[in-house]
Amino acid sequence: DVQLVESGGGSVQAGGSLRLSCDASGVTDRNVCMTWFRQAPGNEREGVAAFTFGLTYYADSVKGRFTIDQANANTVYLQMDNLNSEDTAMYYCAARIACSSDTWSIRRRYDYWGQGTQVTVS
C-alpha cells in the first residue's frame, strides 16, 4: 500500500523560506504524479504544484516562488520562497497514477494522501 509522509512545515516570517518533503513508500509505478495541495481554514483544498515523469505544474499563485523537485523515486520536495500570509495553510502530499496540465490539480482524482504539515507565515 502507498503511504505518504510530509515534513518540513513550521512558522516563518513573511519573505522567508521553507522546504517541505514528502516521503513515499509503496510506489511502484514510474508514471506516478506527486502533488502538493494546501488547505487554509474555511477554504477548499487547492493544488499547489505537481511533479510527474520530469514535468512540473504550478498554481498561478505560487509560480516564481515555489519549486517542486524530486530527490529520488520516493521523495519529492517543495521549496517555498518569498512566503506571504496567504501561503498559510496545511500542506498535503498526494499521489496518483499519471496526470497532465489539465488534471493535476483535481483533488478527487488522487488516491493517496499524507496527513499534512502546517505552514504558518506571519
Side-chain angles (χ1 to χ4, degrees), residues 11-86:
S11 297
V12 65
Q13 292 186 337
S17 299
L18 282 174
R19 184 177 177 87
L20 305 183
S21 297
C22 174
D23 292 307
S25 60
V27 175
T28 59
D29 196 310
R30 291 182 61 194
N31 197 24
V32 64
C33 181
M34 300 290 292
T35 301
W36 287 96
F37 285 80
R38 67 185 180 186
Q39 187 168 18
N43 290 355
E44 293 188 355
R45 195 170 296 189
E46 61 175 359
V48 175
F51 186 101
T52 182
F53 218 58
L55 298 174
T56 57
Y57 305 112
Y58 295 94
D60 288 343
S61 60
V62 305
K63 282 181 181 177
R65 300 188 299 121
F66 290 13
T67 303
I68 188 169
D69 196 8
Q70 187 179 41
N72 52 55
N74 297 321
T75 303
V76 172
Y77 297 125
L78 183 67
Q79 176 68 37
M80 306 186 295
D81 298 316
N82 194 20
L83 287 160
N84 59 59
S85 59
E86 294 183 350

Side-chain angles (χ1 to χ4, degrees), residues 94-114:
R96 56 175 279 198
I97 302 303
C99 64
S100 67
S101 58
D102 294 333
T103 65
W104 71 271
S105 61
I106 301 176
R107 181 184 58 192
R108 66 179 183 275
R109 294 198 179 186
Y110 283 80
D111 302 305
Y112 306 101
W113 293 85

